[in-house]
């Protein structure tokens, strides 16, 4: 087990490191021209009264404060100093910048657990992410558990009552064809609309009212979380149910099920004790993808229902070119995915010890 | 807002056919190419002659050590390589293999792992935020992040096919790799590719509308079903703003799925 874990980490961590590095280098290479994040500074008011020199100085000071004036990487191409006078074509030379460059500093801070500071309001990214996780984690984990439980129950129902198969599977296919945000909007339209049914609040996470009792706080939280949760579950459910149902139907055709029926077991027991265990194996691999998919789905859902969570943070950072926050979020999500894969491998090993543990 | 829904719908359909379909085509082409080559060449079938490798490495080192300020880096690498070579000779190893294998399969798998280490929506969100929103940029980002799905399927197919006797026979006849891949392997793989294409268009349609809904992918003046739905959020009583584009998305996706079913039926016959 430990050897497997090590080899999994050896294979996956470099991939995560590489993609983060690429996003970092791309973002810095583009952000080093002021157009990249000027829009997010809200500096238009001062720009109207300041002279161009003042604006330039302010910009340079800002660059210095954010560390953007340093060279980007260990080796950077730089125009050769004497070439412009002699030939019109620029000659590029590789320049060695030493360890004092943006990439090195970023990586060193990352290894020390410092994710940098937001471009927008200069808050530490770690604090922003932790605060956002506080509202995202309950939502995602609840959606994960509810999806698995609902898929389990629905598959058993489908195996038991054959009459509802076509209707339910057809409905699931329809649902699967819709993107997440459409489902969320439809739920919003149907269940949180003063014109239709105003069962649930349209947005927010509920007030943190310290005077209210513990019970009513929990109830308020549940009241607010229902619609985001429901839309996440409704979107991730179809693929899982179709997968589980397919493999269950395959298993029900095998010989050992016929044997189990022949010795007089009840249908319920045949399905639960014998077939479902084997049918779970392919579904476990799907569950590995479910957790990162839920995190990504949270981007959309939190945007729609105005939940102050990870996804909303990411989407806002992407829209406002706030790269430290964006990178921190991507890092966290990459780690989640790694964790989910390891968990799924371990689960499938537990479900069937014959599976080879391979990275 | 005062914009016409029908016009928005029609021009949104134009966006779909100008973004999702080309992106799916490019991603499928790229995925088929890389998957084919990875499956066919594997880790050791593509071999480069040692002379070419040595000469190009030498030229690169020479160029690096004389054109930049980092001249000592080139010299250090050269010294290390020389030391390794001498050490290998000392130990009596085969110091000069006639050709070196290129681990193409491993490279492609690395690239796939690299792209799939982050969920696709988040990756596209991060990449699309780098540049001011524009349609060609979105097209490029979508195509470059979407090819692994096709590549993995094609690679698995190709690995299976390249073991079959008829490919072995073609190889024994001395046909070139390119001819074997295009004339003998691709017609078989084409079935897989054709089946995945509508599915990728459907997935990319979902991705593109989601991005437009979040206000990241396309410039605000481009009409898109996603943006239409985003305006509906500001006006909760206008149910038609949600219902009409949602129906359009639903039926487009269902129609694309139906194409796959028809393809499967044809294959079964």
């Amino acid at each position: 087990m430990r050897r497997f874990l090590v080899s999994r980490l050896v294979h996956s961590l470099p991939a995560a490191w590489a993609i983060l590095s690429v996003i970092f280098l791309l973002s810095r290479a583009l952000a080093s021209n002021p157009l990249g994040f000027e829009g997010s500074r809200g500096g238009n008011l001062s720009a109207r009264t300041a002279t161009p020199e003042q604006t330039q100085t302010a910009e340079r000071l800002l660059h210095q404060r954010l560390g953007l004036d340093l060279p980007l990487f260990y080796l950077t191409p730089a125009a050769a100093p004497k070439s412009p006078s002699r030939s019109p074509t620029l000659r590029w030379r590789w320049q060695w910048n030493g360890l004092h460059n943006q990439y090195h500093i970023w990586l060193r801070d990352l290894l020390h657990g410092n994710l940098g500071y937001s471009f927008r309001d200069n808050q530490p990214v770690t604090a922003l992410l932790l605060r956002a996780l506080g509202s995202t984690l309950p939502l995602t984990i609840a959606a994960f558990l509810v999806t698995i439980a609902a898929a389990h129950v629905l598959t058993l129902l489908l195996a038991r009552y054959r009459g509802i198969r076509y209707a339910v599977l057809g409905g699931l296919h329809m649902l699967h064809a819709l993107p997440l945000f459409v489902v969320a909007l439809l739920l919003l339209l149907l269940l949180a609309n003063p014109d239709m049914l105003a069962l649930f609040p349209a947005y927010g996470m509920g007030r943190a009212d310290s005077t209210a009792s513990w019970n009513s706080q929990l109830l308020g939280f549940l009241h607010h979380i229902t619609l985001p949760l429901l839309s996440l579950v409704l979107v991730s459910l179809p693929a899982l149910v179709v997968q589980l149902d397919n493999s269950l139907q395959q298993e029900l055709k095998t010989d050992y099920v016929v044997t189990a029926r022949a010795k007089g077991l009840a249908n319920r027991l045949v399905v639960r004790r014998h077939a479902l265990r084997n049918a779970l194996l392919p579904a476990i691999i799907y569950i590995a993808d479910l957790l990162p998919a839920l995190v990504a789905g949270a981007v959309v859902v939190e945007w729609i229902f105005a939940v102050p969570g990870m996804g909303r943070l990411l989407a806002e950072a992407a829209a406002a070119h706030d790269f430290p926050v964006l990178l921190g979020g991507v890092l966290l999500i990459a780690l989640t995915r790694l964790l989910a894969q390891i968990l799924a491998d371990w689960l499938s090993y537990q479900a069937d010890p014959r599976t080879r543990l391979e990275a | 807002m005062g914009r016409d829904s029908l016009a928005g719908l029609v021009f949104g359909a134009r966006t779909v056919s100008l973004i999702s379909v080309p992106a799916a085509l490019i991603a499928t082409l790229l995925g088929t190419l890389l998957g084919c080559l990875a499956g066919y060449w594997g880790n050791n079938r593509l071999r480069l002659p040692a002379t070419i490798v040595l000469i190009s490495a030498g030229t690169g080192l020479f160029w690096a050590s004389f054109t930049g300020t980092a001249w000592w880096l080139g010299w250090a690498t050269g010294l290390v390589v020389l030391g390794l070579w001498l050490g290998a000779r000392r130990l009596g190893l085969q110091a000069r293999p006639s050709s070196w294998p290129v681990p193409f399969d491993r490279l492609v798998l690395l690239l796939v792992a690299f792209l799939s280490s982050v969920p696709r929506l988040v990756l596209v969100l991060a990449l699309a935020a780098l540049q001011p929103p524009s349609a060609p940029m979105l097209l490029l980002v979508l195509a470059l992040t979407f090819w692994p799905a096709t590549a993995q399927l094609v690679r698995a197919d190709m690995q299976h096919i390249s073991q079959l006797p008829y490919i072995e026979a073609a190889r024994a006849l001395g046909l070139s790799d390119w001819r074997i891949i295009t004339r003998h392997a691709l017609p078989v793989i084409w079935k897989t590719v054709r089946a995945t294409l509508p599915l990728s268009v459907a997935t990319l349609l979902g991705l593109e509308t989601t991005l437009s809904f979040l206000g990241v992918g396309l410039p605000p003046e481009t009409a898109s079903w996603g943006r239409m739905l985003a305006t509906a959020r500001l006006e909760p009583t206008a149910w038609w703003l949600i219902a009409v584009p949602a129906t359009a998305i639903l039926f487009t996706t269902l129609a694309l799925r139906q194409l796959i079913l028809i393809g499967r039926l044809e294959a079964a016959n």
Side-chain angles (χ1 to χ4, degrees):
Chain A
M1 184 65 204
R2 191 176 298 155
R3 230 185 67 210
F4 149 76
L5 196 65
V6 168
S7 82
R8 178 55 118 177
L9 285 180
V10 162
H11 278 85
S12 312
L13 276 183
W17 165 74
I19 195 119
L20 277 174
S21 297
V22 166
I23 296 180
F24 171 80
L25 289 176
L26 279 177
S27 70
R28 285 297 165 94
L30 295 169
S32 58
N33 59 358
L35 270 179
F37 61 97
E38 202 183 28
S40 61
R41 311 235 101 240
N44 293 336
L45 278 176
S46 60
R48 214 175 289 155
T49 52
T51 60
E53 288 82 30
Q54 276 172 331
T55 321
Q56 259 180 6
T57 319
E59 218 157 63
R60 212 185 52 237
L61 282 178
L62 183 69
H63 272 216
Q64 258 174 15
R65 191 162 58 77
L66 296 174
L68 294 176
D69 56 334
L70 297 176
L72 186 60
F73 198 57
Y74 300 103
L75 278 173
T76 43
K82 59 188 172 184
S83 55
S85 58
R86 288 194 185 163
S87 60
T89 55
L90 275 176
R91 273 186 59 219
W92 293 100
R93 293 165 68 95
W94 289 97
Q95 185 153 15
W96 175 253
N97 297 311
L99 295 182
H100 200 59
N101 59 52
Q102 288 183 35
Y103 180 72
H104 186 79
I105 291 170
W106 172 74
L107 200 62
R108 196 190 58 203
D109 283 353
L110 188 67
L111 291 179
H112 287 138
N114 177 6
L115 291 172
Y117 298 90
S118 161
F119 278 176
R120 268 184 301 176
D121 43 10
N122 221 15
Q123 283 179 319
V125 173
T126 329
L128 279 176
L129 286 181
L130 280 181
R131 205 182 314 145
L133 271 183
S135 47
T136 300
L137 271 185
L139 177 65
T140 327
I141 291 178
F144 185 66
L145 295 179
V146 171
T147 307
I148 291 178
H152 187 244
V153 171
L154 205 56
T155 316
L156 286 181
L157 282 180
L158 280 179
R160 191 142 174 219
Y161 304 105
R162 314 206 53 100
I164 60 170
R165 281 187 67 85
Y166 282 107
V168 171
L169 283 181
L172 286 177
H173 274 296
M174 293 272 276
L175 206 56
H176 196 46
L178 283 175
L180 170 58
F181 74 103
V182 177
V183 175
L185 276 181
L186 284 178
L187 281 180
L188 198 62
L189 182 75
L190 292 178
L191 296 181
N193 194 337
D195 288 350
M196 302 263 188
L197 277 171
L199 285 181
F200 298 101
Y203 51 81
M205 274 301 260
R207 279 160 297 150
D209 200 356
S210 53
T211 54
S213 71
W214 188 82
N215 260 334
S216 65
Q217 263 192 23
L218 185 71
L219 271 182
F221 176 68
L222 282 182
H223 195 213
H224 278 92
I225 211 177
T226 308
L227 275 188
L229 185 69
L230 197 60
S231 46
L232 273 182
V233 169
L234 278 181
V235 168
S236 43
L237 198 58
L240 191 56
V241 171
V242 169
Q243 168 84 43
L244 253 179
D245 184 60
N246 253 337
S247 55
L248 188 62
Q249 294 304 319
Q250 290 282 330
E251 289 296 328
L252 283 178
K253 282 180 201 149
T254 50
D255 289 344
Y256 73 90
V257 170
V258 177
T259 314
R261 286 229 170 91
K263 74 184 181 188
L265 275 185
N267 190 31
R268 195 168 53 88
L269 280 179
V270 172
V271 170
R272 282 201 183 180
R273 288 280 169 81
H274 292 259
L276 191 64
R277 289 200 173 190
N278 287 314
L280 272 180
L281 261 183
I284 285 176
I285 297 161
Y286 182 79
I287 288 175
D289 285 339
L290 184 62
L291 202 54
L294 282 176
V295 174
V299 176
V300 177
V301 167
E302 286 173 3
W303 183 259
I304 293 176
F305 293 102
V307 180
M310 265 305 287
R312 192 170 172 77
L313 194 68
L314 264 182
E316 280 177 1
H321 300 280
D322 191 355
F323 293 113
V325 177
L326 195 63
L327 269 172
V330 173
L331 171 74
L332 211 60
I333 288 172
L335 288 183
T336 314
R337 179 166 195 120
L338 190 60
L339 207 68
Q341 274 173 345
I342 290 174
L343 188 72
D345 284 347
W346 184 73
L347 275 180
S348 61
Y349 179 70
Q350 290 295 316
D352 184 359
R354 288 169 304 175
T355 340
R356 281 178 307 151
L357 282 179
E358 261 185 7
Chain B
M1 207 50 112
R3 285 190 190 146
D4 187 27
S5 304
L6 183 64
L9 206 62
V10 171
F11 279 91
R14 188 187 67 166
T15 311
V16 168
S17 53
L18 283 184
I19 300 275
S20 307
V21 176
L25 279 178
I26 296 174
T28 307
L29 264 182
L30 198 63
T32 311
L33 184 71
L34 285 177
C36 262
L37 294 182
Y40 184 76
W41 277 336
N43 275 328
N44 43 22
R45 195 172 282 162
L46 176 68
R47 302 182 80 89
L48 286 180
T51 44
I52 293 184
V53 176
L54 286 179
I55 287 176
S56 54
T59 324
L61 272 183
F62 185 80
W63 181 78
S65 48
F66 284 106
T67 55
T69 49
W71 55 273
W72 50 270
L73 208 66
W75 283 104
T77 325
L79 277 181
V80 167
V81 170
L82 196 70
L84 281 179
W85 183 63
L86 285 179
R89 268 190 88 167
R90 196 67 185 277
L91 290 172
L93 298 176
Q94 176 80 37
R96 277 165 52 197
S98 60
S99 63
W100 286 354
V102 180
F104 198 84
D105 192 29
R106 210 169 293 151
L107 286 179
V108 170
L109 284 185
L110 261 183
L111 215 54
V112 170
F114 165 75
L115 282 176
S116 62
S117 62
V118 177
R120 195 177 292 126
L121 176 65
V122 175
L123 183 65
V124 172
L125 197 67
L127 287 180
L130 294 177
Q131 284 271 324
S134 70
M137 185 68 196
L138 181 67
L139 185 69
L140 197 70
V141 167
L142 287 182
L144 284 187
T145 48
F146 204 74
W147 61 266
T150 318
Q152 275 169 326
L153 283 175
V154 170
R155 174 176 164 270
D157 256 18
M158 193 71 191
Q159 271 179 341
H160 171 68
I161 288 172
S162 64
Q163 305 295 329
L164 294 181
Y166 82 97
I167 295 285
E168 211 174 328
R171 213 177 285 146
L173 280 174
L175 296 184
S176 68
D177 283 353
W178 181 246
R179 201 182 150 94
I180 294 179
I181 290 177
T182 50
R183 291 286 172 82
H184 299 268
L186 265 187
V188 185
I189 290 173
W190 170 236
K191 239 180 267 168
T192 316
V193 176
R194 201 180 54 181
T196 56
L197 188 59
L199 203 62
S200 0
V201 175
T203 317
L204 281 174
L205 167 67
L207 206 56
E208 182 263 314
T209 43
T210 307
L211 282 176
S212 308
F213 178 73
L214 293 176
V216 175
L218 287 168
E221 60 274 10
T222 313
S224 159
W225 293 343
R227 198 163 294 277
M228 221 168 142
L229 283 160
T231 56
R233 224 182 120 236
L234 306 172
E235 193 62 53
T237 46
W239 57 268
W240 59 92
L241 278 183
I242 294 182
V244 172
T247 321
I249 292 176
L250 178 66
F251 279 104
T252 315
T253 316
L254 283 180
L256 287 166
R257 294 251 164 96
Q258 203 62 34
L259 273 182
I260 304 172
L261 287 186
I262 291 170
R264 259 190 218 148
L265 281 182
E266 274 178 11
N269 290 339

